[in-house]
């Protein structure tokens, strides 16, 4: 197989031209080496923050695409790690480069049949717009390699909102890709995955910096992504919710947080309401406040498939306008359903004998 790419040995890995005809371009700072492997795949912390929006939350406008990847065996041993960056000169996305027929991944699996698992960590979810066809190339790749599993983690959804002309096409393509479950999983980056990325793909960070707290703005965006991808695909993603919650007010806090979180700003304003001379904080969260969570081995957890017929609560006697659990039918996809109106009815039973006795007593009283 004659590949489309050219690969060169570097100091700490390899650098790759995804297409052999690429040359240095003034329009693209990464040209022509858009794929880097090994320790060459590390990026500066400032670049990671600007593209992935960690730890504060999404940064807009976002024009660059960056995808970190791992190639692994069936036992979980790492064969190769690397990254692919978008080409602004040729308007090409990383997934399009990686999954091209006769491209880098195709050649890697052709030359090493021990590779059984591909993990992507992207700042954007894959799209299927005409100029890129990322999901179509993934789809064909998975058909060609049915024994290979693909896990995709993303920090924000790309062009799935209704204001984008290609949103319907992208959403349909994501549903099509998710239909490969369990061969394919689509999940937001969340929880300990952020610290894994810092440790494995970012340069100049070490020690406590790697395990810095996840700020509220980032945690809210991750939660939003989890609900949105489930709404689009119908499949529950892997997701670690790191926002602190209590049993009493978790629904109120979740609703207020999602309502007050504008997805087009990094730091929304925070105000104080004065009541009886004392400042009372409103429910708008400070996106720079760290949240505490438990680090879990995310790669050891199996994907969770959403059943279309979940069990109903046992203690509910009667439901009023009970919403469907399918997110595809939810009117407001930007936030989870907070609760359902419930009418509780107390039913008491009386033995037949006691009932007859009461009737007899009433008759006797009437005769007197």
């Amino acid at each position: 197989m004659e590949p489309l790419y050219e690969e060169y040995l570097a100091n700490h890995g390899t650098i790759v031209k995804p297409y052999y005809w690429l040359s240095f371009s003034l329009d693209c700072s990464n040209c022509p080496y858009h794929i880097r492997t090994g320790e060459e795949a590390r990026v500066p912390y400032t670049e990671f923050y600007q593209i992935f929006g960690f730890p504060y939350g999404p940064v807009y406008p976002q024009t660059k695409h960056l995808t970190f990847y791992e190639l692994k065996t069936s036992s979980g041993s790492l064969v190769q790690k690397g990254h692919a960056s978008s080409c602004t000169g040729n308007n090409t996305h990383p997934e399009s480069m990686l999954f091209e027929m006769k491209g880098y991944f195709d050649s890697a699996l052709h030359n090493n049949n021990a590779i059984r698992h591909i993990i992507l960590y992207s700042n954007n979810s894959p799209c299927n717009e005409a100029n890129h066809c990322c999901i179509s190339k993934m789809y064909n790749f998975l058909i060609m390699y049915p024994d290979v599993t693909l896990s995709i983690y993303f920090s924000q959804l790309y062009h799935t909102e209704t204001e984008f002309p290609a949103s319907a096409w992208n959403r349909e393509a994501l549903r099509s890709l998710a239909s490969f479950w369990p061969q394919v999983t689509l999940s937001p980056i969340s929880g300990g995955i952020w610290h894994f990325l810092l440790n494995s793909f970012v340069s100049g960070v070490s020690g406590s910096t790697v395990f810095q707290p996840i700020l509220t703005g980032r945690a809210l965006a991750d939660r939003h992504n989890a609900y949105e991808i489930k709404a689009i695909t119908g499949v529950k993603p892997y997701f670690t919710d790191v926002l602190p919650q209590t049993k009493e007010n978790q629904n109120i806090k979740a609703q207020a947080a999602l309502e007050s979180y504008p997805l087009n700003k990094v730091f929304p304003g925070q105000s104080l309401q004065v009541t009886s001379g004392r400042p009372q904080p409103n429910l708008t969260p400070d996106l720079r406040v760290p949240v505490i969570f438990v680090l879990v081995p995310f790669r050891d957890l199996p994907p969770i498939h959403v059943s279309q017929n979940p069990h109903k609560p046992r203690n509910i006697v009667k439901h009023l306008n009970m919403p469907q659990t399918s997110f595809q039918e939810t009117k407001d996809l930007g936030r989870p359903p907070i609760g359902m109106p419930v009418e509780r009815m107390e039913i008491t039973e009386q033995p037949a004998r006691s009932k007859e006795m009461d009737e007899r007593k009433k008759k006797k009283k009437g005769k007197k």
Side-chain angles (χ1 to χ4, degrees):
M1 181 176 72
E2 185 178 353
L4 293 176
Y5 67 90
E6 291 180 350
E7 188 166 16
Y8 303 91
L9 189 65
N11 292 330
H12 304 288
T14 63
I15 54 177
V16 182
K17 284 202 296 184
Y19 305 108
Y20 59 80
W21 59 82
L22 277 184
S23 58
F24 287 98
S25 170
L26 296 176
D27 298 326
C28 179
S29 59
N30 293 320
C31 267
Y33 306 112
H34 285 280
I35 301 175
R36 294 175 177 267
T37 71
E39 292 304 300
E40 291 288 333
R42 290 186 181 271
V43 299
Y45 181 79
T46 52
E47 182 179 355
F48 180 72
Y49 158 66
Q50 290 169 358
I51 296 178
F52 278 81
F54 182 86
Y56 299 106
V59 179
Y60 294 94
Q62 183 58 257
T63 57
K64 292 185 178 180
H65 296 248
L66 182 63
T67 297
F68 300 113
Y69 71 82
E70 291 181 296
L71 304 180
K72 294 191 169 188
T73 64
S74 56
S75 63
S77 300
L78 182 65
V79 175
Q80 186 189 89
K81 73 172 186 176
H83 86 230
S85 57
S86 59
C87 180
T88 54
N90 293 285
N91 193 25
T92 308
H93 289 174
E95 297 90 347
S96 179
M97 299 176 187
L98 292 171
F99 289 92
E100 190 91 55
M101 189 174 292
K102 295 186 180 181
Y104 196 71
F105 280 175
D106 189 12
S107 179
L109 269 69
H110 181 79
N111 295 318
N112 188 343
N113 56 15
I115 297 172
R116 285 290 179 269
H117 192 34
I118 299 173
I119 308 175
L120 304 182
Y121 309 94
S122 302
N123 68 315
N124 287 313
S125 60
C127 78
N128 209 41
E129 296 172 14
N131 294 334
H132 311 290
C133 299
C134 303
I135 293 180
S136 291
K137 291 178 181 179
M138 289 178 169
Y139 196 97
N140 294 332
F141 181 90
L142 292 165
I143 293 174
M144 192 182 304
Y145 297 100
D147 296 330
V148 175
T149 58
L150 174 63
S151 298
I152 302 170
Y153 296 92
F154 58 89
S155 64
Q156 65 186 38
L157 287 157
Y158 182 74
H159 289 184
T160 57
E161 297 87 353
T162 53
E163 60 262 29
F164 294 102
S167 62
W169 183 251
N170 286 334
R171 293 166 75 93
E172 182 59 37
L174 286 170
R175 275 193 291 272
S176 178
L177 187 61
S179 70
F180 275 91
W181 186 94
Q183 186 184 1
V184 176
T185 56
L186 286 157
S187 305
I189 299 174
S190 64
I193 306 178
W194 285 113
H195 295 153
F196 167 77
L197 293 177
L198 284 174
N199 186 57
S200 301
F201 293 102
V202 180
S203 58
V205 294
S206 60
S208 59
T209 309
V210 173
F211 296 99
Q212 62 182 287
I214 297 174
L215 303 183
T216 309
R218 182 67 261 171
L220 285 172
D222 296 343
R223 179 191 282 180
H224 173 82
N225 290 336
Y227 285 111
E228 280 294 299
I229 194 63
K230 182 180 176 183
I232 293 169
T233 65
V235 180
K236 186 177 181 181
Y238 170 75
F239 169 61
T240 302
D241 194 347
V242 302
L243 291 171
Q245 294 181 349
T246 62
K247 290 182 180 179
E248 294 179 359
N249 60 2
Q250 60 180 354
N251 287 342
I252 298 173
K253 283 188 176 181
Q255 184 179 20
L258 287 169
E259 285 178 349
S260 63
Y261 175 58
L263 294 177
N264 61 346
K265 293 182 181 179
V266 180
F267 300 118
Q270 186 180 23
S271 61
L272 291 175
Q273 298 173 352
V274 179
T275 306
S276 303
R278 293 183 181 180
Q280 299 291 332
N282 65 5
L283 290 175
T284 305
D286 185 350
L287 302 189
R288 289 164 288 187
V289 174
V291 293
I292 308 301
F293 72 101
V294 178
L295 187 63
V296 295
F298 66 93
R299 284 169 293 174
D300 296 337
L301 295 176
I304 303 170
H305 184 65
V306 175
S307 172
Q308 296 300 320
N309 296 308
H311 297 291
K312 294 180 180 179
R314 293 180 181 178
N315 296 328
I316 302 302
V317 177
K318 184 179 179 183
H319 298 281
L320 301 180
N321 300 324
M322 179 177 168
Q324 299 295 321
T325 55
S326 172
F327 275 77
Q328 293 178 356
E329 298 177 12
T330 304
K331 292 181 181 178
D332 185 1
L333 299 179
R335 54 180 177 172
I338 300 306
M340 59 180 75
V342 176
E343 180 184 341
R344 294 187 179 273
M345 301 174 64
E346 186 177 349
I347 299 175
T348 59
E349 294 182 0
Q350 274 190 320
R353 220 178 253 181
S354 63
K355 211 170 185 182
E356 289 174 7
M357 291 292 289
D358 290 342
E359 288 178 3
R360 286 179 184 177
K361 286 179 181 178
K362 285 179 182 178
K363 286 180 181 179
K364 286 180 181 179
K365 285 179 182 179
K367 288 179 181 178
K368 289 178 183 179

